[in-house]
Amino acid sequence: MVFERVAIVGLGLLGGSLGLALGEHCPEIATSGFDADPDTRARAAERKLVGTVASTLDEAVADADLVVLCVPVGAMGAVARELSGKLKPGAVVSDVGSCKASVQRALSQALPEQIVIPAHPVAGTEQSGPDAGFAALFQQRWCILTPPEGAPEEQLSALTQLWERLGAHVETMDAQHHDLVLAVTSHLPHLIAYTIVGTASDLEDVTQGEVIKYSAGGFRDFTRIAASDPTMWRDVFLNNKDAVLEMLQVFSEDLTRLQRAIRRDDGEALFDLFSRTRAIRRSIIEQGQDDARPDFGRKDH
Amino acid sequence: MVFERVAIVGLGLLGGSLGLALGEHCPEIATSGFDADPDTRARAAERKLVGTVASTLDEAVADADLVVLCVPVGAMGAVARELSGKLKPGAVVSDVGSCKASVQRALSQALPEQIVIPAHPVAGTEQSGPDAGFAALFQQRWCILTPPEGAPEEQLSALTQLWERLGAHVETMDAQHHDLVLAVTSHLPHLIAYTIVGTASDLEDVTQGEVIKYSAGGFRDFTRIAASDPTMWRDVFLNNKDAVLEMLQVFSEDLTRLQRAIRRDDGEALFDLFSRTRAIRRSIIEQGQDDARPDFGRKDH
């Protein structure tokens, strides 16, 4: 089985990139798309993010045999309920959300008749909106599928092949485990980046102008992550609350340990940690998830 | 007054970049350099980081009218003591260290006869060693000078002009204030990055392999900073202890507030912070301290 018609709901960074990647790698697949925001729909049509930008949700999904929800995770349930009774029998419903347990629950409850296979391509930039997407976003990135118990093998392998054609490596895991892993590799880093940027902008003895001027010392890298879409990230933290709080707890304990090492002038403890962390960086580069060159190997799109 | 002979002590990322930048922008200045590590000296000679790689410290600084120490801040005092009695009368001694109060004290105590004007170019990458340097490192970056009370105007303006010729903007401030500002814009970000990378590598329920595979979700940006030179950073935290601990305290309080917002499902508080932080990112890009393009505008060197 292969997908012939793919509908994308939500035409921001992820939805737009998915549409462009499908157009580039799977030209034989007919793509349609919808976004609740008329301006986004207009811009999506101008940029040709999908083959057809529909003016209503129903129209966008009517003939689709795969519907991919690319909206903030907090909006998945409401969109899924709107889709109820409007999809082709046997149509597969998937998504690109950063949390999987809550999304899987919301989609399965709202669309009990459909085949639901949640997905999370671990890729993105700090940009958002219909101008942010580009076809190469998923190249060499991992896409995690969290099929519910008893998800049909045929549709699961069709979705796997589709993501692989877009340049992604596909991994399958349990939704709860996904949420724990991403709490570490994505959610906690964003939470910390948002916090430190907030901290730096509220100081009494250091002006915001100074923070901006001297940001090249390391701070600017945090501001990049902290420029990500506020709605998307609010929803991530509310929908992956337990795992995020658990990881935050471990992080806080480690930070306290390091604080103590500084207070006690324990240079050895600092040096040991600072040396250990280099090895992880090396592995990330070896496995193609980042680039050692000053430009990170990221080119303009 | 202009500098005719510049000696660079320590030929890693900063020292090497300084030598290359001088060669490119100030070809009439004779540059010499020394590094305690013979392999680094050999590589520095191959890469022509400076005009003459001397085999001894004395030889490197003998005729210099400006000596720039590019060693970890914890080593500044020892190197300065070695230089005692070996510099030309009237030679200016400067550095590129990330902390200024402790360095200013160490240099002034060890070299009471010399004119000491500490400096800190706020620029760098996660790379280190004699292969890491490149001439463009200081372009559009700020270089902060912290002249002690009564530093001679002539030498101060000569050093200012020199850094401006290398492409940097120069700012002058009190050493204590520098240390407070950089604690926010550089030291705290590095401390937090080192901590979270350590946290992620020690988890029970998430393997290190998973952390590496799915690092593109945000984590990888922290690993870049956490790959910085361990010796340099150990020294920074030990030499700017008070300011770092003060900032860490404020950060921890802010993190606790955010933790509470998540626990209480306070989406509004999360959204407010996540929206505020975007403005700072915009200013940093407007002021040329980072780049919005996916490649950050950083090209290969």
Side-chain angles (χ1 to χ4, degrees):
Chain A
M1 159 224 193
V2 293
F3 298 115
E4 291 172 356
R5 300 171 170 285
V6 176
I8 300 170
V9 181
L11 297 170
L13 169 65
L14 268 289
S17 297
L18 178 57
L20 291 170
L22 283 167
E24 185 171 312
H25 300 288
C26 314
E28 80 285 0
I29 295 179
T31 57
S32 59
F34 175 76
D35 194 287
D37 174 4
D39 298 341
T40 300
R41 289 202 299 273
R43 188 66 188 120
E46 284 165 20
R47 286 198 68 204
K48 299 188 170 49
L49 297 180
V50 289
T52 315
V53 176
S55 48
T56 68
L57 179 60
D58 302 23
E59 191 186 327
V61 303
D63 308 322
D65 39 33
L66 171 64
V67 178
V68 185
L69 305 190
C70 304
V71 299
V73 291
M76 295 281 182
V79 174
R81 283 188 289 279
E82 278 189 72
L83 292 175
S84 171
K86 293 167 180 169
L87 304 182
K88 263 187 5 190
V92 174
V93 176
S94 189
D95 74 307
V96 296
S98 303
C99 318
K100 296 266 69 78
S102 66
V103 170
Q104 186 164 312
R105 221 176 300 117
L107 299 186
S108 304
Q109 281 171 7
L111 301 163
E113 310 300 313
Q114 307 297 144
I115 298 161
V116 171
I117 305 178
H120 177 206
V122 185
T125 75
E126 71 278 19
Q127 314 290 338
S128 51
D131 284 296
F134 54 95
L137 181 63
F138 311 111
Q139 291 291 331
Q140 292 298 316
R141 295 287 159 259
W142 286 88
C143 182
I144 301 172
L145 304 185
T146 61
E149 292 252 332
E153 198 43 58
E154 195 185 3
Q155 282 77 0
L156 179 56
S157 71
L159 190 60
T160 301
Q161 284 160 35
L162 188 71
W163 277 107
E164 285 172 346
R165 287 185 67 189
L166 303 186
H169 310 298
V170 176
E171 187 65 78
T172 299
M173 68 177 73
D174 165 78
Q176 275 68 23
H177 187 63
H178 165 280
D179 288 357
L180 194 64
V181 172
L182 271 291
V184 189
T185 63
S186 180
H187 307 170
L188 182 60
H190 277 78
L191 188 67
I192 287 166
Y194 278 121
T195 304
I196 190 175
V197 175
T199 301
S201 56
D202 291 340
L203 294 168
E204 282 180 4
D205 309 337
V206 180
T207 69
Q208 209 175 106
E210 289 175 314
V211 167
I212 290 159
K213 261 167 94 166
Y214 309 118
S215 59
F219 181 72
R220 69 172 181 188
D221 289 24
F222 288 65
T223 64
R224 197 182 69 77
I225 298 191
S228 304
D229 184 54
T231 306
M232 172 196 159
W233 282 99
R234 175 201 64 200
D235 288 1
V236 167
F237 295 119
L238 297 180
N239 283 273
N240 196 22
K241 184 174 166 173
D242 299 345
V244 168
L245 289 175
E246 181 183 333
M247 291 304 165
L248 195 50
Q249 186 54 42
V250 183
F251 169 80
S252 301
E253 289 161 12
D254 293 345
L255 192 60
T256 303
R257 237 196 326 278
L258 210 54
Q259 189 169 12
R260 197 179 307 116
I262 294 174
R263 187 172 288 116
R264 296 178 178 175
D265 300 303
D266 185 350
E268 206 174 307
L270 298 176
F271 187 84
D272 289 349
L273 172 64
F274 300 172
S275 311
R276 227 154 38 77
T277 50
R278 283 193 136 174
I280 297 208
R281 175 69 182 172
R282 268 194 300 277
S283 311
I284 286 173
I285 288 161
E286 281 159 17
Q287 295 187 26
Q289 294 310 301
D290 207 344
D291 192 295
R293 287 171 292 167
D295 73 348
F296 297 65
R298 301 178 204 174
K299 303 285 169 218
D300 281 348
H301 304 283
Chain B
M1 172 234 181
V2 293
F3 298 114
E4 291 171 357
R5 298 171 172 285
V6 176
I8 301 170
V9 181
L11 297 171
L13 169 65
L14 268 290
S17 297
L18 178 57
L20 291 170
L22 284 166
E24 185 171 312
H25 300 288
C26 314
E28 80 285 0
I29 295 179
T31 57
S32 60
F34 175 76
D35 194 285
D37 174 5
D39 297 342
T40 298
R41 289 202 299 273
R43 189 67 189 120
E46 284 166 18
R47 287 197 67 203
K48 300 187 168 51
L49 297 181
V50 288
T52 313
V53 176
S55 48
T56 68
L57 179 59
D58 302 20
E59 192 188 327
V61 302
D63 309 321
D65 40 32
L66 172 64
V67 177
V68 185
L69 305 189
C70 304
V71 299
V73 290
M76 295 279 182
V79 174
R81 281 187 292 278
E82 279 189 70
L83 292 176
S84 173
K86 294 167 180 168
L87 303 182
K88 266 193 349 196
V92 174
V93 176
S94 188
D95 74 306
V96 296
S98 303
C99 318
K100 297 267 69 74
S102 66
V103 170
Q104 185 163 310
R105 222 176 299 117
L107 298 186
S108 305
Q109 282 170 7
L111 300 164
E113 309 301 312
Q114 308 296 144
I115 297 160
V116 171
I117 305 177
H120 177 206
V122 184
T125 74
E126 71 277 20
Q127 314 291 337
S128 51
D131 284 297
F134 54 95
L137 181 62
F138 310 112
Q139 290 291 334
Q140 293 297 315
R141 296 288 160 257
W142 286 89
C143 182
I144 302 173
L145 305 185
T146 61
E149 293 253 332
E153 199 41 61
E154 193 182 2
Q155 282 78 358
L156 180 56
S157 71
L159 190 60
T160 301
Q161 284 162 32
L162 189 71
W163 277 107
E164 285 172 346
R165 288 183 66 188
L166 304 185
H169 310 298
V170 176
E171 187 65 78
T172 301
M173 67 175 77
D174 166 77
Q176 275 68 23
H177 188 63
H178 165 280
D179 289 357
L180 194 63
V181 172
L182 270 291
V184 189
T185 63
S186 180
H187 308 169
L188 182 60
H190 277 79
L191 188 68
I192 287 166
Y194 278 121
T195 304
I196 190 175
V197 174
T199 302
S201 56
D202 292 340
L203 293 168
E204 282 181 2
D205 309 338
V206 180
T207 69
Q208 210 176 106
E210 288 174 314
V211 167
I212 290 161
K213 262 168 94 166
Y214 308 119
S215 59
F219 181 72
R220 67 173 181 189
D221 290 22
F222 288 64
T223 65
R224 196 181 68 77
I225 299 190
S228 304
D229 183 53
T231 306
M232 170 196 161
W233 282 98
R234 176 202 62 199
D235 287 0
V236 167
F237 295 119
L238 298 179
N239 282 274
N240 196 23
K241 186 173 164 171
D242 298 346
V244 168
L245 289 175
E246 179 183 334
M247 290 304 165
L248 195 49
Q249 186 53 42
V250 183
F251 170 79
S252 299
E253 289 161 12
D254 292 346
L255 192 59
T256 304
R257 236 197 325 279
L258 209 53
Q259 189 170 13
R260 194 178 310 117
I262 294 174
R263 186 172 287 116
R264 296 178 177 176
D265 300 303
D266 185 351
E268 206 173 307
L270 298 175
F271 186 85
D272 289 348
L273 172 64
F274 300 171
S275 312
R276 225 152 40 79
T277 50
R278 283 193 136 175
I280 298 205
R281 174 69 182 172
R282 266 194 301 276
S283 311
I284 286 174
I285 289 162
E286 280 160 15
Q287 295 187 26
Q289 294 310 301
D290 206 346
D291 192 295
R293 287 170 292 169
D295 73 350
F296 296 65
R298 301 177 204 173
K299 302 288 169 217
D300 280 349
H301 304 284

